[in-house]
């Protein structure tokens, strides 16, 4: 079973940028559907970006145009480049992997948590105004 370790979180001001990384313990490019989720206290974990085995990406409306998900195949690492950050982006961010999910529609992304079997421990992102 794959192990995922996130890093790159931190505190930034509104308009700033951060790049999150998710290091996988094994090759994931052709094996898993990968995604980034975020969660604030008292709310459900929501999907914000996903990438399938062919490199096709999807984004939640709240982050589209500001966040970019990508994979570094040789490094088995997933990234989330976050630009133009807003206080509403403050959350714990999690990397997730699914060995069974082949594709995912944009409208299904926010509530896709049940489809993912493997999770990292999370990394905190705080955006101040």
């Amino acid at each position: 079973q794959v192990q995922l370790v996130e890093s790159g979180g931190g505190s930034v001001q509104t308009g700033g940028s951060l790049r999150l990384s998710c290091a996988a313990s094994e090759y994931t490019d052709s094996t898993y559907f990968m995604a980034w989720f975020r969660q604030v206290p008292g709310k459900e974990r929501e999907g914000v970006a996903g990438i399938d085995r062919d490199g096709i990406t999807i984004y939640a409306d709240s982050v589209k145009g500001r966040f970019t998900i990508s994979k570094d195949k040789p490094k088995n690492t997933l990234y989330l480049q976050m630009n133009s950050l807003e206080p509403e982006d403050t959350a714990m961010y999690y990397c997730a992997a699914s060995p069974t999910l082949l594709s995912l529609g944009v409208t299904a992304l926010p509530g896709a948590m049940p489809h993912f079997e493997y999770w990292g421990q999370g990394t905190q992102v705080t955006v101040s105004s």
Side-chain angles (χ1 to χ4, degrees), residues 7-128:
S7 61
S11 297
V12 296
Q13 293 188 330
T14 298
S17 298
L18 284 173
R19 189 178 77 159
L20 305 183
S21 299
C22 172
S25 61
E26 63 184 61
Y27 185 71
T28 61
D29 186 58
S30 61
T31 311
Y32 296 90
F33 187 108
M34 305 294 293
W36 287 96
F37 286 73
R38 66 186 182 187
Q39 188 172 25
V40 297
K43 291 190 176 182
E44 293 188 354
R45 195 171 297 185
E46 64 170 1
V48 297
I51 185 166
D52 70 10
R53 294 160 183 78
D54 295 324
I56 296 173
T57 59
I58 55 172
Y59 299 93
D61 288 344
S62 58
V63 306
K64 193 170 186 178
R66 301 187 298 120
F67 290 10
T68 302
I69 187 172
S70 62
K71 296 189 286 188
D72 185 326
K73 300 176 186 179
K75 294 183 178 180
N76 292 335
T77 300
L78 181 73
Y79 298 104
L80 185 68
Q81 177 67 44
M82 305 186 296
N83 299 328
S84 301
L85 283 163
E86 304 167 351
E88 293 73 22
D89 297 315
T90 295
M92 184 73 78
Y93 283 73
Y94 297 89
C95 171
S98 171
T100 57
L101 190 62
L102 297 179
S103 64
L104 189 63
V106 172
T107 56
L109 176 59
M113 180 179 173
H115 295 286
F116 290 81
E117 297 182 28
Y118 304 108
W119 295 85
Q121 82 290 348
T123 186
Q124 178 68 37
V125 171
T126 302
V127 185
S128 58

